[in-house]
Amino acid sequence: MAGAFAAVVAIGASGVASSKERGWVERVGGGSFAERLLGAHNDERRKMGVPDLRWSPKLAAQAQAYAQKLARQQAMVHASNAERGGAGENLWAGRAGFYSAEEMVEGMVAEKRHFKSGNFPQVSRTGQWRDVGHYTQLIWRETTDIGCAVAPGGTNDWLVCRYWPAGNIYGKPVL
């Protein structure tokens, strides 16, 4: 996968997208881009035996504002914990108009190859939690809500997903 990731914030609380799919942040329904992002998250969560996530319009709106900021700045930098209101965050960027919702999430799920069950941060076969941090947030059992947004900028699409409550909490089990 040619998409890029930023490191996941851990402490505390760490097809092609057509132009008509760009307005998906407002609501989930009818195979929208948002629904597909949610479905891709929940497909993996079901495989791991954790409850489905619910779509949060509030988190999606916050993610949209931050995705637009990343697109303007052309830099993938996590929002501070205060800016996120304590929510977890996964970031992704890839060539504009090239990746489907499912492919964006698959980039996070691909980290599963390094995942080992346990208490965070001792959850990576490589010894580096950053190698699985997107994945562990995606499957974090205690997380119940998600909101994501994509903003085009430069040659990339910028995806931000926010999770509540945040996962990747030191000393806590992922599953």
Side-chain angles (χ1 to χ4, degrees), residues 14 54 93 118 128 149 156:
S14 114
R54 296 179 302 242
Q128 300 294 318
N156 287 326

Side-chain angles (χ1 to χ4, degrees), residues 24-28 32-46 51-64 84 87-92 101 104-106 108-109 134-150 159-167:
W24 58 268
V25 73
E26 297 301 321
R27 68 187 249 313
V28 174
S32 70
F33 205 70
E35 185 175 70
R36 292 167 53 205
L37 285 166
L38 177 64
H41 275 78
N42 285 335
D43 286 348
E44 184 60 26
R45 290 176 65 86
R46 286 182 205 120
D52 282 0
L53 296 171
R54 296 179 302 242
W55 188 259
S56 166
K58 178 182 174 184
L59 290 172
Q62 293 168 358
Q64 183 68 54
R84 292 181 282 110
E89 181 176 73
N90 277 345
L91 305 178
W92 178 94
M104 291 175 180
V105 175
E106 179 55 38
M108 300 173 204
V109 173
H134 297 94
Y135 183 69
T136 54
Q137 174 58 81
L138 190 150
I139 64 166
W140 196 266
R141 179 174 293 279
E142 302 304 317
T143 297
T144 58
D145 297 285
I146 186 176
C148 301
V150 174
L159 170 70
V160 175
C161 288
R162 297 269 171 98
Y163 304 85
W164 188 262

Side-chain angles (χ1 to χ4, degrees), residues 2 6 15-16 21 31-32 34 43 48 51 63-64 66 82 84-85 110 112 116 129 141 153 158 164:
V16 172
E21 290 176 309
S32 70
D43 286 348
M48 297 305 290
Q64 183 68 54
Y66 198 67
R84 292 181 282 110
K112 181 178 185 175
K116 67 176 185 177
W129 69 264
R141 179 174 293 279
W158 304 82
W164 188 262

Side-chain angles (χ1 to χ4, degrees), residues 53-138:
L53 296 171
R54 296 179 302 242
W55 188 259
S56 166
K58 178 182 174 184
L59 290 172
Q62 293 168 358
Q64 183 68 54
Y66 198 67
Q68 289 170 333
K69 180 179 178 178
L70 294 178
R72 281 190 310 274
Q73 294 177 345
Q74 298 288 296
M76 194 157 29
V77 178
H78 278 284
S80 70
N81 191 42
E83 288 175 301
R84 292 181 282 110
E89 181 176 73
N90 277 345
L91 305 178
W92 178 94
R95 192 171 82 189
F98 187 77
Y99 294 96
S100 68
E102 295 80 7
E103 289 168 324
M104 291 175 180
V105 175
E106 179 55 38
M108 300 173 204
V109 173
E111 294 176 355
K112 181 178 185 175
R113 71 186 182 276
H114 299 302
F115 174 71
K116 67 176 185 177
S117 191
N119 289 344
F120 194 85
Q122 304 303 319
V123 292
S124 175
R125 290 186 180 99
T126 69
Q128 300 294 318
W129 69 264
R130 287 174 181 85
D131 293 338
V132 297
H134 297 94
Y135 183 69
T136 54
Q137 174 58 81
L138 190 150

